[in-house]
């Protein structure tokens, strides 16, 4: 499968790793939109939020369990934002489910 984030998980494309375990991988966004901008992805290929279901939700659950710990390791004690863009209207550019963690400053109140 020709998927950028699957290649990052495999190590075929280098990335700046923040956290990894058997189910998920977290790495720095190549084009940061905030002082801290990390992407958290499931190791299993799920193309978007639209494709989450009972059969593959374990890795998604694990992402949400780990996000607070990843955020703490990034020094985001004062808060942060988690975003998942889905589909064309959501401006999803990489078709492998990912959650942006943004922080390190007071973020804009507008989200759309
Ligand atoms: P989306 O627009 O799909 O929600 O987010 C995709 C994100 O992936 C963007 O923020 C973009 O900067 C990031 N990105 C795209 N290609 C690469 C890459 O090769 N390496 C890393 N680390 N991030 C990437
Ligand atoms: Zn993938």
């Amino acid at each position: 499968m020709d998927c950028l984030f699957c290649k990052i998980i495999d190590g075929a494309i280098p990335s700046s790793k923040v956290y990894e375990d058997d189910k998920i991988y977290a790495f720095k966004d190549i084009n940061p939109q905030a002082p801290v901008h990390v992407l958290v992805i499931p190791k299993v290929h799920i193309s978007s939020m639209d494709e989450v279901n009972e059969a593959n939700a374990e890795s998604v659950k694990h992402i949400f369990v780990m996000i607070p710990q990843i955020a703490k390791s990034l020094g985001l004690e004062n808060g942060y934002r988690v975003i998942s863009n889905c589909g064309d209207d959501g401006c999803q550019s990489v078709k492998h489910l990912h959650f942006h963690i943004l922080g390190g400053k007071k973020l804009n109140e507008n989200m759309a």
Side-chain angles (χ1 to χ4, degrees):
M1 191 188 303
D2 194 26
C3 170
L4 175 66
F5 286 176
C6 283
K7 288 177 183 162
I8 283 179
I9 293 164
D10 290 345
I13 292 175
S15 63
S16 183
K17 178 164 82 173
V18 166
Y19 174 82
E20 180 176 21
D21 62 30
D22 59 326
K23 293 192 187 71
I24 70 174
Y25 187 74
F27 57 105
K28 291 183 182 168
D29 196 292
I30 204 168
N31 181 25
Q33 305 291 315
V36 176
H37 188 171
V38 163
L39 302 172
V40 190
I41 63 179
K43 285 192 169 176
V44 60
H45 180 87
I46 301 171
S47 53
S48 80
M49 200 68 223
D50 248 0
E51 302 303 321
V52 176
N53 55 47
E54 288 291 347
N56 63 25
E58 191 60 34
S59 61
V60 181
K61 171 186 167 184
H62 188 58
I63 284 174
F64 278 88
V65 170
M66 292 310 299
I67 279 175
Q69 294 182 46
I70 294 169
K72 194 171 184 193
S73 78
L74 295 167
L76 300 177
E77 281 85 6
N78 210 37
Y80 54 91
R81 183 172 290 159
V82 177
I83 294 173
S84 186
N85 296 323
C86 179
D88 283 348
D89 279 4
C91 296
Q92 181 184 4
S93 62
V94 179
K95 309 302 186 209
H96 180 126
L97 178 64
H98 51 282
F99 295 89
H100 300 256
I101 301 176
L102 296 152
K105 69 168 187 180
K106 180 82 170 176
L107 300 171
N108 196 308
E109 286 184 7
N110 299 329
M111 280 192 287

